[in-house]
Amino acid sequence: MKAQVNEIKEGLQHFHGSETIFQIPLLRTRYTNGLKYLAEAAECFWLITDTSIIAKSLMNRSKFITIDFKRLSEDKQDFTGYEAEIIYTDGNDNLLQKNGYRATDFPLDELRLFFVNNTLMLPSEY
C-alpha cells in the first residue's frame, strides 16, 4: 500500500549522502538510498526508470542535470491535457528537455532530483 504524502516527505528528509548505491540492471544507472525509499514508498519505480533514461540521453549536454516533477494546476491540466510534467535543466535553469504525462499516480505534487555521474539522487544526497 502506498505511503501517505506527508509520510513520504518526512521520510525523504532523512537521506544525506548515500553509502549504498543501487543499480537499474538494464540501464546501469545508479541510484541512492533516498531514491530506493521513494520508489518503494510511492510505488514509483517508473519515475526512476523514465528520468534516468532521459537524463542519460542528455549527459552530452550537461554533466549535472536537475529533474523537476511538477503536478500541473487544474487550469493548466485542462489547457495542456497533461496532469504533470518533468523538466530537465542543467542546474542553471537552462532547459534541456520537458516531458508531459497525461496521467500519473505519483503522490507528491513536486519533487526535485539530481542526476550526476550516472547516479540519480535526492538534492540532500548530493
Side-chain angles (χ1 to χ4, degrees):
M1 183 177 153
K2 236 180 245 187
Q4 297 305 309
V5 171
N6 290 341
E7 188 184 320
I8 293 171
K9 286 181 178 173
E10 171 63 30
L12 291 174
Q13 304 295 317
H14 299 287
F15 295 97
H16 304 283
S18 191
E19 282 94 58
T20 314
I21 298 290
F22 304 92
Q23 193 172 59
I24 302 171
L26 290 172
L27 301 173
R28 302 225 182 274
T29 302
R30 298 183 306 241
Y31 60 98
T32 58
N33 277 328
L35 264 288
K36 184 176 193 305
Y37 164 80
L38 179 69
E40 290 170 354
E43 295 175 11
C44 66
F45 286 97
W46 66 268
L47 183 67
I48 291 178
T49 306
D50 272 21
T51 54
S52 68
I53 288 170
I54 294 165
K56 274 173 113 73
S57 76
L58 298 170
M59 283 169 57
N60 60 337
R61 294 175 57 197
S62 179
K63 290 190 183 327
F64 182 93
I65 297 171
T66 59
I67 301 165
D68 287 294
F69 173 93
K70 195 174 218 104
R71 187 174 317 282
L72 302 176
S73 67
E74 286 193 21
D75 286 347
K76 233 178 172 180
Q77 286 183 30
D78 292 342
F79 180 73
T80 62
Y82 293 115
E83 186 180 338
E85 61 186 19
I86 299 181
I87 297 170
Y88 299 81
T89 69
D90 65 359
N92 294 317
D93 296 324
N94 294 311
L95 181 67
L96 300 173
Q97 186 164 330
K98 182 178 174 148
N99 289 40
Y101 288 79
R102 295 204 179 280
T104 179
D105 62 355
F106 187 64
L108 304 181
D109 287 336
E110 53 184 39
L111 174 74
R112 169 165 276 192
L113 302 175
F114 289 163
F115 186 79
V116 192
N117 295 328
N118 198 37
T119 306
L120 205 54
M121 65 191 75
L122 298 169
S124 62
E125 295 177 298
Y126 179 64

